[in-house]
Amino acid sequence: MKKLLIILSAALSAAFSVFVIYPHYIGIPVSVSRWDEQHDFYEICRAEDLTVQKDSTYRTACFESGKSLSKLAGQNEDYVGRIRDPYATGGTFTVANLYFHDNAYYILYDFGSDTDNGMHTYMAQALYCKVSLSGEYDRYVPFPMWAVGFGHIPNDDAVEEIFENLTFEELCEFYERFTDGTAEIYYENQKIKVDACDMFAEEKYSKVFCIDYKNGRFVWDEGGEEEVILGI
């Protein structure tokens, strides 16, 4: 009997230890694909709700949770800070959790809260912007501004956020995390050139998107032909 009690005690202790050390493994995985690869998934967090809805490209996932953004951030070692939403209505800014893993950015933000039951509707997505080219599929580019995953640049919001609300040093901090050659920073000229891919991630384009911070403009350079997308 004493031996049985010892075995049961050890088993319960081990189970409890696993629960304490790895709480983020409990629940339904919330994963989205990279900006440049549809079938390479990254798990941002876990959801209590059984329903995790994804878009057709798997780059966006929607779920419900009773946890706060801060609590969800604490469950992922890839959390690097917060990023604000320049598209928020009513003159206020909301924020998103920002994650960086394996040379790709992801965000998690509160899409709406139900005060009756305390549940939050969260949206997780790869962080990128879309560049529309005439007669071509959209190009996806890693970009330090969220909500543009649903829209396109050029737009006035992107110009204001990048060239008026962010410093060049802040842009450098964002792109310096890439260690695979996705971005090249020209500190003296205050330019950042970034890779792109098509919307199906079937083809990649090297250093075709340029943030020309010094001159306040976005430039597309493919095949040696520069096209100013938009600027101040």
Side-chain angles (χ1 to χ4, degrees):
M1 184 65 177
K2 185 176 180 181
K3 184 177 180 181
L4 178 60
L5 286 174
I6 292 173
I7 293 173
L8 286 175
S9 177
L12 287 172
S13 177
F16 182 74
S17 297
V18 170
F19 176 78
V20 171
I21 298 173
Y22 304 108
H24 54 290
Y25 287 132
I26 298 172
I28 308 302
V30 177
S31 58
V32 292
S33 63
R34 297 169 54 92
W35 70 276
D36 59 348
E37 178 54 66
Q38 274 190 284
H39 304 292
D40 186 354
F41 292 94
Y42 171 67
E43 182 181 314
I44 291 181
C45 62
R46 294 263 169 152
E48 302 99 306
D49 189 11
L50 294 176
T51 304
V52 178
Q53 300 176 356
K54 296 185 179 182
D55 71 343
S56 58
T57 67
Y58 306 108
R59 292 185 177 94
T60 300
C62 181
F63 67 97
E64 287 191 348
S65 174
K67 298 175 183 176
S68 66
L69 271 177
S70 297
K71 183 136 189 181
L72 290 170
Q75 295 179 344
N76 190 328
E77 62 182 8
D78 296 324
Y79 173 75
V80 293
R82 289 200 166 173
I83 188 169
R84 68 186 193 133
D85 173 18
Y87 290 103
T89 58
T92 59
F93 291 98
T94 56
V95 295
N97 287 350
L98 180 65
Y99 306 89
F100 187 75
H101 178 79
D102 192 22
N103 290 296
Y105 278 103
Y106 305 86
I107 55 172
L108 176 66
Y109 58 95
D110 194 336
F111 199 62
S113 301
D114 187 340
T115 55
D116 293 334
N117 62 10
M119 296 295 285
H120 301 262
T121 301
Y122 286 111
M123 192 76 75
Q125 68 180 75
L127 182 59
Y128 61 93
C129 72
K130 300 176 185 178
V131 177
S132 292
L133 302 172
S134 179
E136 302 276 352
Y137 286 125
D138 288 342
R139 303 286 196 260
Y140 288 3
V141 180
F143 198 67
M145 180 176 164
W146 69 288
V148 292
F150 298 106
H152 298 74
I153 59 169
N155 58 50
D156 292 334
D157 294 291
V159 169
E160 179 180 354
E161 179 69 4
I162 299 301
F163 300 120
E164 296 181 19
N165 295 333
L166 293 180
T167 66
F168 182 68
E169 288 71 24
E170 287 173 321
L171 285 175
C172 289
E173 182 181 1
F174 180 89
Y175 285 108
E176 281 171 346
R177 289 193 179 98
F178 289 96
T179 59
D180 63 346
T182 294
E184 290 181 356
I185 302 174
Y186 301 84
Y187 297 94
E188 185 175 345
N189 297 327
Q190 292 194 328
K191 290 183 179 181
I192 301 175
K193 294 185 177 182
V194 190
D195 289 353
C197 71
D198 63 41
M199 63 184 297
F200 300 109
E202 293 177 347
E203 188 170 356
K204 294 185 179 180
Y205 307 87
S206 178
K207 312 303 176 294
V208 290
F209 180 74
C210 176
I211 301 175
D212 184 355
Y213 190 85
K214 187 175 183 179
N215 296 304
R217 60 182 189 168
F218 300 118
V219 178
W220 188 265
D221 183 1
E222 188 172 352
E225 297 182 8
E226 286 194 358
E227 177 185 350
V228 177
I229 302 172
L230 195 68
I232 296 176

